[in-house]
Amino acid sequence: MPSPWFNVPALYCRVHLSASHRSREETMPAIHGYTTHDVTLSAVGTFQLVAAHGDRPYFRNEKVTLRVQARIFNELEFQGGGGETIRRGGRSTFGGVTQPSDVNLELTTDEKHEAYLRMGSMGPFTLKHRIDVWDTSPPKPAQGHVNEEFNVDAMLSLTLPKTPGQVRLDAFEKSLIGSPFSCCDSRCEVRLSGLLRLTPDVPVFHLADDTLDQNPIPHCRVRVLCPDGATREFESDEAGDIFIPRASTKDVYTLLEVLDDRAPQSAAIPGTWTVDTVPDRV
């Protein structure tokens, strides 16, 4: 019997990859060399996957971008020939939106509904950044900067439900194959969250806190300016998403005010808003 996933025309997907870890290990014992690796990384993508079925259910989007925030520190410390301590390293703090690349979801077996979610199979998501570098080697210590490219690509093995429905990606965090970040290796712990949903469209807004994990804010009431000039109230769902039917991809909705985020008043901290734009349907 053909998989019911053949009948799904599109999926809404949100993926959040993050890492925050620090390590210091002896990597060159002969010269008492220690390497320090300290990173805080976040890459978020919100997009639609459209059916392109062949022999198996298959969904794709070739124009996905990821929003990246990163802090990277790497340094090698070792003992020089004269007994002095020498340090060579680099530090970079940057953020931005990557160049577009592809995401695809392929169901590999009908019986067990096993699937692979691939991000960047046609080439990694890239973002250029500057690294401040230093070398304290005598007799002339040096410092400067180099331009490099930060890359993100990932492959995730997951199991889809027999009957098409929502899939939480954090349930398959341990199924990430390799490290998705170019500055890390397979020993670095990477956290995964997000979901696949069967929706007719992508959400107009996604509400999340400003922590590294970007936890969704459910049941948050907001006031929105609609394309017809009227203001209306909407509430986010359990995933922090607000879906509003749109007659056209040119419809513009403006978030005016948060009315009730269900948090205790004691937790309120004045600050500035950051609003992420969710791409339109493919």
Side-chain angles (χ1 to χ4, degrees):
M1 178 181 293
S3 169
W5 286 89
F6 276 114
N7 301 321
V8 177
L11 295 167
Y12 160 64
C13 183
R14 177 175 172 81
V15 177
H16 180 207
L17 297 161
S18 64
S20 181
H21 52 259
R22 185 181 191 277
S23 64
R24 177 178 167 83
E25 58 180 328
E26 189 174 21
T27 53
M28 303 174 69
I31 55 174
H32 305 287
Y34 290 84
T35 297
T36 299
H37 174 68
D38 187 355
V39 301
T40 301
L41 306 165
S42 174
V44 180
T46 303
F47 46 89
Q48 190 179 47
L49 294 173
V50 177
H53 302 318
D55 295 336
R56 297 170 179 169
Y58 182 79
F59 304 86
R60 70 180 181 189
N61 186 332
E62 298 178 356
K63 298 179 180 180
V64 176
T65 59
L66 303 180
R67 182 172 52 82
V68 171
Q69 292 290 331
R71 179 190 59 80
I72 304 170
F73 175 90
N74 289 296
E75 184 181 64
L76 171 64
E77 175 187 315
F78 62 96
Q79 186 174 339
E84 71 281 3
T85 298
I86 297 175
R87 292 183 171 87
R88 295 173 181 166
R91 176 189 291 109
S92 181
T93 300
F94 61 96
V97 177
T98 66
Q99 292 294 313
S101 190
D102 70 304
V103 178
N104 62 71
L105 175 71
E106 181 179 15
L107 191 70
T108 58
T109 60
D110 292 337
E111 297 81 11
K112 298 181 179 180
H113 291 83
E114 296 172 338
Y116 283 102
L117 180 68
R118 299 178 179 89
M119 302 176 62
S121 63
M122 296 172 59
F125 296 87
T126 61
L127 181 63
K128 294 181 179 179
H129 66 108
R130 192 176 87 162
I131 303 177
D132 296 320
V133 296
W134 58 88
D135 184 344
T136 65
S137 301
K140 190 177 180 180
Q143 59 182 3
H145 69 268
V146 295
N147 295 319
E148 284 201 5
E149 202 171 69
F150 176 76
N151 296 333
V152 182
D153 57 42
M155 179 181 291
L156 172 67
S157 172
L158 66 160
T159 303
L160 303 180
K162 183 177 181 179
T163 300
Q166 179 172 300
V167 178
R168 293 192 58 86
L169 298 182
D170 51 337
F172 303 98
E173 182 178 76
K174 301 301 182 183
S175 299
L176 269 173
I177 301 172
S179 174
F181 300 121
S182 57
C183 62
C184 297
D185 59 30
S186 58
R187 296 172 298 173
C188 298
E189 182 179 352
V190 176
R191 296 196 295 275
L192 167 72
S193 62
L195 47 76
L196 293 166
R197 302 178 70 176
L198 277 64
T199 65
D201 207 344
V202 296
V204 175
F205 300 106
H206 175 76
L207 306 181
D209 62 26
D210 60 356
T211 64
L212 180 65
D213 290 330
Q214 298 188 13
N215 302 299
I217 302 176
H219 310 301
C220 179
R221 286 195 303 116
V222 298
R223 181 176 288 118
V224 174
L225 175 63
C226 298
D228 60 3
T231 60
R232 297 182 176 87
E233 294 182 12
F234 298 93
E235 183 173 316
S236 61
D237 61 17
E238 290 291 340
D241 293 323
I242 296 177
F243 290 89
I244 305 174
R246 291 183 286 185
S248 168
T249 57
K250 296 181 180 180
D251 286 349
V252 175
Y253 292 85
T254 305
L255 180 62
L256 299 177
E257 182 182 6
V258 174
L259 301 174
D260 181 12
D261 62 4
R262 304 296 177 92
Q265 189 66 29
S266 60
I269 301 176
T272 57
W273 273 92
T274 299
V275 178
D276 295 329
T277 301
V278 178
D280 283 330
R281 60 178 75 85
V282 177

